[in-house]
Every structure is written in C-alpha cells, then in structure tokens.
Amino acid sequence: MDPSDLPCYADVEAAATRIAAHAHRTPVLTSRTLDARLQAQVFIKAEQFQRVGAFKFRGACNAIAAMAPARRAAGVIAYSSGNHAQAVALAARLHDTRATVLMPADAPRAKVEATRGYGAQIQFFDRHTESREQLCAALVAERGLTLVPPFDHPDVIAGQGTATRELLQDTGPLDALVVGLGGGGLLGGACLAATALSPGCQLYGVEPEAGNDGQQSLQAGQVVTIAPPRTVADGATTTFLGRYTFAILRRHVRSIVTVSDAQLVEAMAFLAERMKLLVEPTACLGLAALLAGALDVRGQRVGLILSGGNVDLDSYARLLQTARGP
Amino acid sequence: MDPSDLPCYADVEAAATRIAAHAHRTPVLTSRTLDARLQAQVFIKAEQFQRVGAFKFRGACNAIAAMAPARRAAGVIAYSSGNHAQAVALAARLHDTRATVLMPADAPRAKVEATRGYGAQIQFFDRHTESREQLCAALVAERGLTLVPPFDHPDVIAGQGTATRELLQDTGPLDALVVGLGGGGLLGGACLAATALSPGCQLYGVEPEAGNDGQQSLQAGQVVTIAPPRTVADGATTTFLGRYTFAILRRHVRSIVTVSDAQLVEAMAFLAERMKLLVEPTACLGLAALLAGALDVRGQRVGLILSGGNVDLDSYARLLQTARGP
C-alpha cells in the first residue's frame, strides 16, 4: 500500500472535531496499587465509559460523519454481532440516517436487542449456509447502502485514534503505550496519535495467545490469516489484520505480545477488585500483558486503553468466579 | 442535643481543606438510559473511586487531621470490620500515627488483610464473649488512644459532607438528593452541605427494609434501636442512629424510604450492565429506591451518592447471578 493512502494525525484531529458533539471524553484513571506492583506510572483510558460502552463508537461515528451527505442519507450497513454493531447503530441514528446490521441468526439475544435498541434494522443470516460478505454486497448494490467496516478504513482508524489523542492530551508524553488488538483499528489509531503527540513513545500490541495473527503478521512481514480462535477475548477473534491496519502497525508498533485467557481473567479481577472497574475480557489485554510481565515497563510512564465494558453479566460473574476459584 | 453543638457547613468547608491533599475528588457520572427510565436528570457521585474504595475515608481523614497533634501522635482506635476500619487505618498512616482496629475474631480474612495492609494493628476479640465497647474503652484508658467513631462525631459527619459539597459544586443546585444510610454519617453530612449550597433541595434517606431504624426514629421523634438486621447491604446494618446524626436528620431530611434486598441487587446489576460500575450492595440503596419508584423524582434534577465498592468478588458474582436468575 502506498504510504500516502494511509491516514495520518491530521485525520485524527479532523475526527476529533467531527465526533466532539457526540462522543464522551472518557476519564483517565490511575491506581496506586497498580503503580506499586509494576513499579511504573500507569494511565488508564477508560473506554468502557464511551457511548455504547466501547471505543468502537469513535470510529463508526467518524466514518458516518465524514460521508458525503447524500451517500449517508441512503443508509449504512455493518456486519458485526459485537460492539461495532451497536456503534454503527447509534452513530447512524445520531446522523439521522438508517443502519442495517447483518447478524448471525444465532447471535446472543442481548446483543441483538441492544443493537435494535439503538435504532438499527437487524438482518439475520445463517452463518453455516450464507456468506455475510455476499449478503452485504448484495444489499449495498440493491439499496445503495454504504458499508462501515469494523476496522480497516481510514476514517474508522482515525476515529479510534481520538482515544489516544485524548489520553496524551491529559497525560503529556508517555514512554510506552499498550493496546489490545483484534483487527488493529484501536492500535492503528494509537500509532497515528502517539507519533504526533509523543514521538518517543514505544507502541506495543497485545493479542490473545489463541489469536496471534497480528504477531505472526508482523514477524512474517505480511498479513497472516489464522483459523477462528477460541478465547474469552471475544472482541479480538478477528483472523487477519486489515490492509490499512497492517501497514500502520508494521511502521509504528515495536512488538506484539500475547496473553493467556487465565491472564485476561486475572486482569479483569484486578480491575474489579482494586479499581472497581467492570470491563469485558477483551479490554484486559493490555493490563494482562503488564501484570504477567510480558512487557517490562519499570520506571516508565505507561498508557493503557481499556477498550470496552460490554459483557453479559452472567458470563462476567462466572469469569470472576474462575479467577477466584480453587 | 443543643443545636449549637451540631456541626454546620463551615465545618464541611474546613474538612474539605483538611482532606484536600489526601482524598480523591471523585467523578460525577450520568446515564442517558437512567435519565430516560426515571424521566429525570440524575447526577451520580461515585465514591467507590474514593481512597480505600468508600466515602468513609473522608470522615476518618478529617477526624484524624483535626485532632490536636499530641493527641493524634498517641494513636487512634476504631472498631469496625468494614470500610471504616480501612479508612481509619489509611488516614492514620497518612498522618504519621498508628491505628489500632478492633475486629471480631471471625471477621472475613480479606477485610482483615486489607486493613492490615493500610498499616493498622488489628486486635481481635470474641464477639460472643467480649464487648468491643469495653475493650475499646480499656485500650483508650491504658494507651491514651483516641476513638474515631464510625459516624456519630461532628468531624466525621463534616468529613462525609465533603462528598455532597463536591457533587453540588459540580452540578449546581439540585431538586433532590438521595442518600443511603446506616448510622447516618453520609446523609448527615449531605444535609449540612445541601442546606448551604442548594437550599431548596429535598433530602431523602434510604435504608434496607430489614434495617429501617432510621425511618422508625424519624417517625417516633426519638432514636429507635432495632435488632441486627439481615440484609445484603452489610454497610447499613447499624441498629440505631447516633445522637448527632439523628439531630441533623430530624431537622433536614424530608423522609426515609426502604428497599428490599432484591431491589438492591437489581440496582447493582443496572449499574454493572448499563454504566459499567462495580459497587457494593450498600451503595445501591439510593438507586434502588429510584428504580423501584419509592420516590417520585420525575422532571427533577437529582443527586445520588454511590457509597463504596468494597465487595468480595465471589459474593458480587453470586449476587449478579441472582439478579439474572431464572
């Protein structure tokens, strides 16, 4: 990909302006206990308090806000059963347009209801017999809808970059920034913002052990596709990086490390017990890497982004019990 | 009690100055979902993010800071197995003095360890054969320690009032303020702050159904003592109001309503699911009353204080499962 096609920090600034009226400026939190344990100064950007409960709102909102008005008015479409679905649904409603969301017929009812609650029209498909990509292409062609991709789009990446921009505005320059990744939208956006606002900052990605396609891709120098991983980090089960995200990560990310599901659950319990923060397992990737010692940040000023807090309460309760189990 | 003996708003201001270097200014949070459900504008003061995870730090810190230096240097004592124990332990350490905390020998190990972790010396007693009041009086006499009571002390009440002072500074005048109560320290402090900063504000107390001594006391016009209640709101199991707190509540509180344990757990699940906030059951008293319709606040600007977030993770998980049970 031609570097001039990649989004840059100016796009993050433009995104910040576009989403300002809709997105929350989420708080940056600290913990004396965590700092003592890591012998570092850690700044936690709490995106579980973002609208729809996850950073995904930033990218979806920016992508929809950036569309030409006539195109936007024709409606948008997304395929996701997770946070991106709710993000597109709400962002569309806020821009007076209509979102169609493709979801597998067996998607959890809570996620379907939440997405419908934000005003989207849900279209179900059978994930065993139908291809969501083909269905989506057909709807785009028939109805003139515009696809809002979950991560691999310059406006989506720039939108996610606003989280890191706010973090660095609040903290000043950092030595390291640790961000979990699935498709790499949040980490890609972090690269754009950190490069401009904290040039010396080392950027680290964290993936679930079972889904380390990003780590493999950086090592191989090309996008590696893996089989769908099984992990509690259900927001990081993408099987390949995007073209844009790979190109950005390759230029800016120092390394991608992995954590186990047990380490994710330990980090989730730490956030609950010590910081009174309720987050989804995927949000724990960065903290899990730090608590497990996968990254040495002693003496450093470290940024961390908690990606979201959308977890079924029953699953959450069961995971906490695992962490405290015999 | 002579009204001139009661603390007033000037004491809250003095407390704010004393604790400023130590206490967190906790955030005030809002929820579109909650506002829509209650048809009101609700402002939530999140004291689970206070030091030691509960508002209790404010009162303990103020009481210890206000002591004459020689007296403070001789050490302080408290009896509590809950948030007050940790609050006194930390506040003492921050003021370079020593806290002794009396705890029943069968107190939960996590609470003992947390209190010890803040630097307190724990002294156990057998709650079946020994009186903590007598033990405490003996230690006060022998060692020259000063008791920091959990709620019924002007400096403790004034310290707790700083939570409401901050809330009202952030929100401006409110129509109603809803505060849970055990001994009435937080609600008493709220009265002092609201009377000065938001004179028209209606003050409401909320107790667990099983432990409605405050409600009975206001109705009877004198302090009523009840048997120890069984409720998930373990921070509101005091069996009588204090002399100071009763005198303040009687003057300023419009009414005290009650909620069931099931309503507390529903409110806890709401905070988890919709706001990503992890709190202890006692912290849910105010919200439970609003969600249950025990108070009509339609069209109003309403303040709510979440008192703390110290709950054993396993209990928390089990309670969430109750809320979502069959």
Side-chain angles (χ1 to χ4, degrees):
Chain A
M1 179 171 291
D2 188 321
S4 67
D5 293 338
L6 296 177
C8 63
Y9 180 62
D11 298 309
V12 177
E13 288 211 301
T17 304
R18 276 192 208 104
I19 72 174
H22 301 301
H24 291 317
R25 186 177 182 107
T26 54
V28 175
L29 309 170
T30 59
S31 159
R32 286 176 175 80
T33 308
L34 181 60
D35 287 359
R37 180 143 163 200
L38 298 176
Q39 298 174 265
Q41 207 178 347
V42 184
F43 301 92
I44 299 182
K45 180 75 170 164
E47 285 290 293
Q48 72 273 28
F49 298 129
Q50 187 49 265
R51 292 190 79 174
V52 313
F55 76 91
K56 291 275 184 180
F57 179 72
R58 297 175 182 271
C61 187
N62 184 50
I64 291 173
M67 284 178 193
R71 203 171 165 192
R72 182 169 62 223
V76 299
I77 185 168
Y79 42 82
S80 162
S81 53
N83 293 332
H84 181 60
Q86 297 177 48
V88 169
L90 178 60
R93 195 180 73 187
L94 293 169
H95 289 89
D96 297 318
T97 187
R98 191 93 194 252
T100 301
V101 175
L102 288 175
M103 281 191 173
D106 56 353
R109 208 174 50 130
K111 302 230 168 190
V112 175
E113 288 311 315
T115 308
R116 192 176 274 143
Y118 286 117
Q121 187 193 330
I122 313 293
Q123 179 131 354
F124 292 106
F125 66 94
D126 181 336
R127 61 190 174 85
H128 304 294
T129 61
E130 295 181 284
S131 150
R132 64 182 187 181
E133 286 79 5
Q134 281 177 14
L135 271 173
C136 182
L139 287 164
V140 164
E142 277 166 32
R143 304 191 193 163
L145 305 177
T146 301
L147 176 66
V148 184
F151 52 87
D152 205 30
H153 187 288
D155 292 333
V156 173
I157 297 167
Q160 319 304 27
T162 61
T164 299
R165 179 173 179 268
E166 290 173 9
L167 170 63
L168 292 168
Q169 283 175 337
D170 285 2
T171 62
L174 297 174
D175 301 311
L177 187 55
V178 184
V179 181
L181 70 144
L186 183 62
L187 180 55
C191 290
L192 306 182
T195 305
L197 299 177
S198 184
C201 181
Q202 299 293 343
L203 284 143
Y204 298 100
V206 185
E207 286 181 314
E209 266 173 13
N212 73 334
D213 60 290
Q215 187 182 51
Q216 289 186 45
S217 300
L218 287 200
Q219 283 165 1
Q222 61 182 21
V223 175
V224 172
T225 300
I226 60 169
R230 283 179 66 106
T231 165
V232 291
D234 57 0
T237 54
T238 40
T239 57
F240 50 86
L241 292 176
R243 289 170 61 237
Y244 289 100
T245 56
F246 174 70
I248 296 169
L249 269 50
R250 193 181 182 184
R251 286 164 70 99
H252 297 294
V253 168
R254 177 157 175 179
S255 70
I256 293 178
V257 299
T258 64
V259 294
S260 68
D261 276 11
Q263 288 165 338
L264 286 169
V265 173
E266 268 308 308
M268 203 179 78
F270 180 95
L271 289 167
E273 194 153 37
R274 307 308 302 241
M275 297 189 69
K276 320 303 174 196
L277 298 176
L278 187 155
V279 299
E280 60 190 85
T282 310
C284 301
L285 285 163
L287 180 61
L290 292 176
L291 290 176
L295 294 168
D296 183 0
V297 293
R298 274 175 296 180
Q300 297 187 14
R301 287 166 49 84
V302 184
L304 199 62
I305 304 179
L306 301 180
S307 55
N310 292 325
V311 53
D312 167 70
L313 285 194
D314 202 56
S315 312
Y316 184 73
R318 276 186 283 108
L319 288 170
L320 285 185
Q321 285 163 337
T322 312
R324 286 295 169 271
Chain B
M1 179 172 289
D2 188 323
S4 67
D5 292 338
L6 295 178
C8 63
Y9 181 62
D11 298 308
V12 178
E13 289 212 299
T17 304
R18 276 191 208 105
I19 72 173
H22 301 301
H24 291 317
R25 187 178 183 108
T26 53
V28 175
L29 309 170
T30 58
S31 159
R32 286 177 176 79
T33 308
L34 181 60
D35 287 359
R37 180 142 163 198
L38 299 176
Q39 298 174 261
Q41 206 179 348
V42 184
F43 301 93
I44 299 183
K45 180 75 170 164
E47 285 290 294
Q48 71 273 30
F49 298 129
Q50 187 49 266
R51 292 190 78 172
V52 314
F55 77 90
K56 290 276 185 182
F57 179 72
R58 297 175 181 270
C61 187
N62 184 51
I64 291 173
M67 284 177 193
R71 203 173 163 190
R72 182 169 60 223
V76 298
I77 185 167
Y79 41 82
S80 162
S81 53
N83 293 332
H84 181 60
Q86 298 176 47
V88 169
L90 177 60
R93 195 180 73 188
L94 292 170
H95 289 88
D96 297 319
T97 188
R98 189 92 193 253
T100 301
V101 175
L102 288 175
M103 281 190 175
D106 56 355
R109 209 175 50 132
K111 303 231 167 188
V112 175
E113 288 312 316
T115 308
R116 193 176 273 143
Y118 286 117
Q121 188 194 328
I122 313 292
Q123 179 131 352
F124 292 106
F125 66 95
D126 181 335
R127 61 191 175 85
H128 303 294
T129 62
E130 295 180 286
S131 149
R132 65 182 188 182
E133 286 79 5
Q134 281 178 13
L135 271 173
C136 182
L139 287 165
V140 165
E142 277 166 32
R143 304 191 195 163
L145 304 177
T146 301
L147 175 67
V148 184
F151 54 88
D152 204 29
H153 187 288
D155 292 334
V156 173
I157 297 166
Q160 318 306 25
T162 61
T164 299
R165 180 175 179 267
E166 290 173 9
L167 170 62
L168 291 169
Q169 283 176 338
D170 286 2
T171 62
L174 296 174
D175 300 310
L177 187 55
V178 184
V179 181
L181 70 144
L186 182 62
L187 180 55
C191 290
L192 306 183
T195 305
L197 299 177
S198 184
C201 181
Q202 298 294 343
L203 285 142
Y204 298 100
V206 185
E207 287 181 312
E209 266 174 14
N212 72 333
D213 61 290
Q215 187 183 50
Q216 290 187 45
S217 300
L218 287 201
Q219 283 165 358
Q222 61 183 18
V223 174
V224 172
T225 300
I226 59 168
R230 284 180 66 106
T231 165
V232 292
D234 57 0
T237 55
T238 41
T239 57
F240 49 86
L241 292 176
R243 290 170 61 238
Y244 289 99
T245 54
F246 174 70
I248 296 169
L249 268 51
R250 193 182 181 183
R251 286 165 70 100
H252 298 292
V253 168
R254 177 158 175 178
S255 71
I256 293 178
V257 299
T258 64
V259 293
S260 68
D261 276 11
Q263 288 165 338
L264 286 169
V265 173
E266 270 306 309
M268 204 181 78
F270 180 94
L271 289 167
E273 194 154 35
R274 307 308 304 239
M275 296 189 70
K276 320 305 174 194
L277 298 176
L278 188 154
V279 299
E280 59 190 86
T282 309
C284 301
L285 285 163
L287 180 61
L290 292 177
L291 289 177
L295 294 167
D296 184 0
V297 293
R298 275 173 295 179
Q300 297 188 15
R301 288 166 48 84
V302 184
L304 201 61
I305 303 180
L306 301 181
S307 56
N310 292 326
V311 52
D312 168 69
L313 284 195
D314 202 56
S315 312
Y316 184 72
R318 274 186 284 109
L319 288 171
L320 284 186
Q321 284 164 338
T322 311
R324 287 294 169 269

